[in-house]
Amino acid sequence: MRHLMNPLDFTVEELDKLFDLAQDIEQNPAKYAHACAGKIMATCFYEPSTRTRLSFESAMTRLGGQVIGFSDAASSSAAKGESVSDTIRVISCYADICAMRHPKEGAPMVAAEKATIPVINAGDGGHQHPTQTLTDLLTIRSLSGDIKNFTIGLCGDLKFGRTVHSLINALVRYEGINFIFISPEELRIPDYITDMLKEKDIPFREVMSLENVMPELDFLYMTRVQKERFFNEEDYIRLKDFYILDTTKMALAKEDMLVLHPLPRVNEISVEVDNDPRAAYFKQAQYGVYVRMALILTLLNITVG
Ligand code: CP
């Protein structure tokens, strides 16, 4: 039995297979429509979500399986003080696979240790968001043909952004990736990540100006300043609109640069950018369904001939 806690739980070769499967699912959805008949997925979300929870539910439903779960800790027995360990033991009796989001870092790992079914980390605090990373990698591979030899700018909340931390960890295993970290001083990328890049001799720069680096980028990964991770409302208000990607800034970029965003967005991408063919963030959300379908099949050891 296998879990997914971190994108590094899969080797690059295993990820290649997963992405091949996701692309086959995209092209031949009918072939997979009954692959999970009789199987149940539990979605246990202790923190709000639209994309991750609903894309898992859509994925399992499109595979012919069924879904149970909760979308709010307050409507589960966590509100009565039940531990994650006890909850997952019970969920293991009801479902064949579980996707869990939790505000505490490491909570899905605690669940995986007690579970008798595969557990997928659907985001734990500011730590990891591996299925968003799988979505990001599949989007990059599908839209640019490969995952190598590019410059990616990661912009916004690089301190608390778990999608950013997960994506960097995954990208360092590919060839020729150059990172530009674009953030205000207060939201800089954590030292443990820059130390890891230095150790691996992977090129990176930390800058504050988005405009100055726009012409260099092949991908721009925008992120939201996350209100829920701030201890102080004043700091959030001061930093929330630090970066706003608009058509003026897009005019500085390469003609084939692609804009990614894990979503939800607040103000950091102006809606006028949505009409630019380089805006790939809604396609990215669609790839999230295909890659989660592929992940469910892989963790349940289901092959479709
Ligand atoms: N990208 C992402 O994790 O979105 P949700 O918080 O809506 O799941």
Side-chain angles (χ1 to χ4, degrees), residues 45 48-53 101 122 129 132 162-163 262-264:
F45 277 61
S49 167
T50 295
R51 269 146 299 276
T52 311
R53 186 172 65 83
R101 171 171 289 189
H129 193 346
Q132 181 62 49
R162 61 190 173 201
T163 60
L263 303 177

Side-chain angles (χ1 to χ4, degrees), residues 5-8 44-53 56 100-108 120-134 136 154-171 187-190 192-193 221-229 261-264 284 292:
M5 292 294 119
N6 183 313
L8 304 186
C44 300
F45 277 61
Y46 295 82
E47 212 186 38
S49 167
T50 295
R51 269 146 299 276
T52 311
R53 186 172 65 83
F56 266 121
M100 178 179 286
R101 171 171 289 189
H102 203 288
K104 278 198 191 141
E105 299 180 359
I120 300 167
N121 177 2
D124 61 328
H127 186 220
Q128 294 282 338
H129 193 346
T131 61
Q132 181 62 49
T133 300
L134 301 185
D136 300 340
L154 298 114
C155 178
D157 177 0
L158 308 188
K159 181 177 179 182
F160 298 112
R162 61 190 173 201
T163 60
V164 167
H165 304 162
S166 274
L167 181 58
I168 297 165
N169 270 332
L171 281 176
L187 297 178
R188 280 180 55 197
I189 196 84
Y192 79 87
I193 292 186
Y221 194 92
M222 291 296 293
T223 63
R224 172 177 68 97
V225 173
Q226 302 174 91
K227 189 175 183 185
E228 65 273 28
R229 311 265 177 244
H261 191 312
L263 303 177
Q284 190 180 350
R292 288 182 175 97

Side-chain angles (χ1 to χ4, degrees), residues 23-243:
Q23 286 180 323
D24 194 54
I25 290 168
E26 179 187 4
Q27 283 151 23
N28 306 289
K31 198 169 119 186
Y32 297 90
H34 305 290
C36 282
K39 300 286 184 194
I40 296 175
M41 162 166 257
T43 54
C44 300
F45 277 61
Y46 295 82
E47 212 186 38
S49 167
T50 295
R51 269 146 299 276
T52 311
R53 186 172 65 83
L54 295 183
S55 64
F56 266 121
E57 296 191 3
S58 172
M60 192 53 164
T61 307
R62 284 170 191 271
L63 290 168
Q66 288 180 299
V67 182
I68 57 173
F70 54 86
S71 59
D72 176 9
S75 67
S76 77
S77 284
K80 301 175 203 161
E82 187 173 52
S83 67
V84 164
S85 302
D86 282 0
T87 300
I88 195 66
R89 284 183 184 201
V90 173
I91 296 287
S92 295
C93 305
Y94 302 159
D96 301 288
I97 187 165
C98 173
M100 178 179 286
R101 171 171 289 189
H102 203 288
K104 278 198 191 141
E105 299 180 359
M109 177 70 92
V110 169
E113 280 164 10
K114 300 289 180 193
T116 56
I117 58 173
V119 176
I120 300 167
N121 177 2
D124 61 328
H127 186 220
Q128 294 282 338
H129 193 346
T131 61
Q132 181 62 49
T133 300
L134 301 185
T135 301
D136 300 340
L137 295 177
L138 177 64
T139 306
I140 290 171
R141 189 174 106 149
S142 298
L143 298 182
S144 73
D146 211 338
I147 310 175
K148 63 176 180 187
N149 298 331
F150 57 75
T151 295
I152 182 165
L154 298 114
C155 178
D157 177 0
L158 308 188
K159 181 177 179 182
F160 298 112
R162 61 190 173 201
T163 60
V164 167
H165 304 162
S166 274
L167 181 58
I168 297 165
N169 270 332
L171 281 176
V172 296
R173 301 193 295 180
Y174 294 88
E175 236 176 81
I177 313 293
N178 179 31
F179 294 96
I180 303 184
F181 301 129
I182 309 149
S183 75
E185 182 63 30
E186 294 88 337
L187 297 178
R188 280 180 55 197
I189 196 84
D191 288 344
Y192 79 87
I193 292 186
T194 51
D195 289 346
M196 178 268 292
L197 294 173
K198 284 179 203 159
E199 211 170 279
K200 292 182 187 292
D201 213 13
I202 292 172
F204 74 91
R205 253 159 61 216
E206 292 186 83
V207 301
M208 243 205 279
S209 165
L210 174 57
E211 286 91 330
N212 286 353
V213 297
M214 279 300 272
E216 295 178 49
L217 305 179
D218 300 301
F219 292 95
L220 171 59
Y221 194 92
M222 291 296 293
T223 63
R224 172 177 68 97
V225 173
Q226 302 174 91
K227 189 175 183 185
E228 65 273 28
R229 311 265 177 244
F230 275 78
F231 296 113
N232 175 336
E233 174 103 14
E234 268 172 39
D235 284 348
Y236 169 69
I237 289 167
R238 187 166 50 80
L239 294 169
K240 71 184 173 70
D241 293 329
F242 203 90
Y243 298 106

Side-chain angles (χ1 to χ4, degrees), residues 221-283:
Y221 194 92
M222 291 296 293
T223 63
R224 172 177 68 97
V225 173
Q226 302 174 91
K227 189 175 183 185
E228 65 273 28
R229 311 265 177 244
F230 275 78
F231 296 113
N232 175 336
E233 174 103 14
E234 268 172 39
D235 284 348
Y236 169 69
I237 289 167
R238 187 166 50 80
L239 294 169
K240 71 184 173 70
D241 293 329
F242 203 90
Y243 298 106
I244 299 180
L245 182 66
D246 55 16
T247 50
T248 310
K249 291 192 190 80
M250 287 297 285
L252 302 169
K254 292 180 187 173
E255 272 179 24
D256 59 352
M257 184 201 75
L258 291 172
V259 183
L260 305 179
H261 191 312
L263 303 177
R265 78 166 144 197
V266 186
N267 283 330
E268 62 280 3
I269 301 180
S270 164
V271 288
E272 66 195 14
V273 175
D274 297 356
N275 297 325
D276 189 308
R278 295 170 292 181
Y281 30 92
F282 291 117
K283 277 188 210 149

